[in-house]
Amino acid sequence: MNTPTHLSRRAFIGSVAPLAGLPLLGSWPYPSFATEKFTVGAIIESIMKEVDGAPFPRTVDQLRTGKLDQEVTGIVTTMFPTMDVIQKTADLGANFIIAHETPFYNNNDETDWLQNDTAYLHKMELIQKHKIAIWRFHDYWHRHKPDGIIMGNLIKLGWEKHYDPNTPRLLTLPKSMPIRAIADLAKNKLGISTVRIVGNLKQECTRIYLAFGYMDSRMQIAAIDQYKPDLILSGETREWETIERVRDGQQMGLNTSIMVLSHAVSEEAGMEYAAQWLQPKVPGMKITHIPSTNPFTFY
Amino acid sequence: MNTPTHLSRRAFIGSVAPLAGLPLLGSWPYPSFATEKFTVGAIIESIMKEVDGAPFPRTVDQLRTGKLDQEVTGIVTTMFPTMDVIQKTADLGANFIIAHETPFYNNNDETDWLQNDTAYLHKMELIQKHKIAIWRFHDYWHRHKPDGIIMGNLIKLGWEKHYDPNTPRLLTLPKSMPIRAIADLAKNKLGISTVRIVGNLKQECTRIYLAFGYMDSRMQIAAIDQYKPDLILSGETREWETIERVRDGQQMGLNTSIMVLSHAVSEEAGMEYAAQWLQPKVPGMKITHIPSTNPFTFY
């Protein structure tokens, strides 16, 4: 796919106008035009330079497949590096996936327990066939200031101007919105078909606690007491922990509600934003965001 | 509420016909008619007699509030002992809740981290005001043969005749059903408004893997490889673990799908069944099942 003709066409489009809907950042969208070559390791280093305290002694952000000295032909950012995302990466002629979440169905990306798992074996075959490097960009992206996942979502929701670095997880809206309107906004801007809510759709909300992705329940429950948010915007949470605490609170008259977006779609915007954020650091490199999408059908 | 008049009326109804929709088991429904008195401890002992290997050295099935020598005025079975369930228990004149799940938002019912939590403090006040004993009936009910939660669900679904004690979690239907029909059945019989599915609603299923409640993801993923079920019937699961493994499997052509019912409603039938199962062991005792219901609104 990554033929000179194709590149010329993209460069030509780029010279006329940026692609619709995306800001012109650095040299983007002039893909693979530069003479500079990048290895996987060099790209990871350029990302870590932007994060205070990096490299962390313990982090899940490790190279899970491929090699640090591998030359990169194109980058894909995504939420979950699913089989489909890996195949589409190969189809694009790219060989480096920067994924927020685990390829191997566990946060630490352990693989010893998967040595006979049909899907794992097939996935590794696919990865090795196309020589795909996969690096997790989870801890560093959350620790970036501002948290890249939160900021990606806020930009999509049109809420980035309400971001307060002093309370990065607590957003205060200038004007209250009912839960139903917040759900409509999230569904519309983040591409979600259905959300799950513990609370009343008519409840007015000003204080929104941001818990995209998965958040430890004890931290979340402590935050309910500390911040008394009207609404928690959650990606995924445990039902016997946070959900029951929110329900009990409502049954005693407290007004913290929770909206569960689903894990994948609650962080996807943050990885789309990562693609734009990364572009000026790797001039000329083609970076594509491939959404892993919501796995669920609601019926 | 538990006045002699009330009791006489219930006994009178009971002497004419069993309450609609419930089988006549033992002395049920002749509540509080016997002269025998039961303590919390005696009731727990009579339950444990029915479970091989009980008492277990380590189990979450502990008395979480109240006292073992407390005389029981009435029993309530439920899934989650929510604020509402506790209030309704008091309104019934009962003082012993047998709950499958945690009152304190964590599986081990630890409370040290909750000492300043508004909902916990209010819940304890409510419990102490009404002198409610709460005992977890989780591990013993699952370890009962057959697993009481599974059997409660199978009876509701009309599937109990397909239960095979050799493969208690794998059900083989005599005739295949499409996922849509299984979802309709579950929604209708278990009182669920919406389910989440990874899979195609038209897919025909014969082999159903039963994972009501929450199940460890590594066990569940191993079971996918071992049993190759057409469908996993799940209560709650982690999206970055089981859900992504199921999705990857489908993207490579495997046909295991998953239907997520929600935690509370996926085990409620098992606790309703517990009320019936327990009745002959405590003749004359009034046992009421109070569903904690699904906390979610789907929008």
Side-chain angles (χ1 to χ4, degrees), chain A residues 44-45 47-48 51 54-65 68 96 98-103 107-109 134-144 149 271:
Chain A
I44 293 172
E45 266 182 41
I47 290 175
M48 293 207 295
V51 181
F56 303 157
R58 288 164 60 98
T59 170
V60 296
D61 293 6
Q62 307 290 342
L63 191 66
R64 295 311 189 189
T65 69
L68 285 173
F96 184 25
I98 297 180
H100 191 62
E101 278 293 346
T102 172
N107 187 46
N108 291 325
D109 297 323
I134 300 181
W135 182 64
R136 290 280 299 281
F137 185 28
H138 182 276
D139 298 344
Y140 291 124
W141 200 211
H142 281 303
R143 202 74 79 80
H144 180 265
I149 297 292
M271 292 312 288

Side-chain angles (χ1 to χ4, degrees), chain B residues 2-299:
Chain B
N2 212 359
T3 62
T5 314
H6 174 71
L7 289 175
S8 305
R9 188 176 150 272
R10 283 190 58 88
F12 174 73
I13 294 171
S15 70
V16 178
L19 292 186
L22 286 169
L24 187 60
L25 282 178
S27 66
W28 198 93
Y30 302 86
S32 304
F33 213 57
T35 50
E36 202 176 346
K37 292 186 188 303
F38 294 95
T39 61
V40 165
I43 294 168
I44 293 172
E45 266 183 40
S46 74
I47 290 174
M48 293 207 294
K49 269 185 204 153
E50 306 286 331
V51 181
D52 287 350
F56 304 157
R58 288 163 59 98
T59 170
V60 296
D61 293 6
Q62 307 290 342
L63 191 66
R64 295 311 189 190
T65 69
K67 293 177 178 170
L68 285 172
D69 62 4
Q70 184 173 332
E71 190 183 319
V72 175
T73 59
I75 297 174
V76 161
T77 64
T78 195
M79 179 57 195
F80 284 101
T82 64
M83 301 267 191
D84 276 2
V85 167
I86 293 166
Q87 186 58 57
K88 285 178 186 167
T89 299
D91 292 347
L92 283 169
N95 68 349
F96 185 24
I97 296 177
I98 297 180
H100 191 62
E101 277 293 345
T102 172
F104 304 134
Y105 329 121
N106 70 106
N107 188 46
N108 290 325
D109 297 323
E110 290 161 4
T111 58
D112 53 322
W113 63 291
L114 286 170
Q115 292 308 310
N116 295 310
D117 183 76
T118 321
Y120 169 75
L121 295 173
H122 185 87
K123 196 168 201 172
M124 285 309 292
E125 210 175 86
L126 195 65
I127 287 166
Q128 280 156 7
K129 178 179 166 194
H130 298 292
K131 298 188 171 56
I132 306 278
I134 301 180
W135 182 64
R136 290 279 301 279
F137 186 28
H138 182 276
D139 298 345
Y140 292 125
W141 200 211
H142 281 304
R143 201 75 77 80
H144 180 266
K145 289 179 182 169
D147 178 322
I149 297 291
I150 287 179
M151 191 45 65
N153 276 312
L154 294 185
I155 291 169
K156 285 265 185 192
L157 296 168
W159 284 355
E160 72 275 22
K161 54 192 171 297
H162 310 316
Y163 176 79
D164 180 351
N166 295 314
T167 57
R169 283 187 175 272
L170 186 75
L171 205 78
T172 305
L173 299 179
K175 191 168 170 292
S176 78
M177 289 175 75
I179 289 180
R180 183 188 298 272
I182 295 172
D184 287 339
L185 180 73
K187 286 160 72 171
N188 185 27
K189 299 295 185 182
L190 304 179
I192 303 175
S193 70
T194 306
V195 297
R196 291 180 294 155
I197 294 162
V198 184
N200 186 329
L201 287 168
K202 293 180 182 166
Q203 185 197 315
E204 292 286 334
C205 301
T206 306
R207 298 165 67 81
I208 319 278
Y209 188 80
L210 306 172
F212 303 117
Y214 177 81
M215 183 178 171
D216 175 77
S217 294
R218 292 193 183 201
M219 281 176 57
Q220 209 164 27
I221 290 170
I224 294 174
D225 270 309
Q226 185 184 350
Y227 294 111
K228 297 176 179 56
D230 302 313
L231 182 68
I232 301 169
L233 262 188
S234 166
E236 172 175 2
T237 187
R238 284 181 160 173
E239 296 181 30
W240 71 93
E241 296 174 348
T242 305
I243 294 296
E244 289 301 324
R245 168 58 181 81
V246 167
R247 170 152 75 168
D248 262 356
Q250 291 176 354
Q251 289 181 354
M252 69 176 276
L254 304 179
N255 77 335
T256 294
S257 295
I258 188 166
M259 184 185 303
V260 186
L261 304 171
S262 290
H263 199 140
V265 290
S266 82
E267 301 194 290
E268 196 74 81
M271 292 311 289
E272 185 176 340
Y273 176 58
Q276 297 176 36
W277 173 87
L278 181 58
Q279 188 64 74
K281 298 171 195 22
V282 282
M285 178 64 67
K286 183 177 174 185
I287 309 181
T288 311
H289 173 68
I290 301 181
S292 48
T293 74
N294 199 342
F296 293 113
T297 300
F298 290 80
Y299 173 76

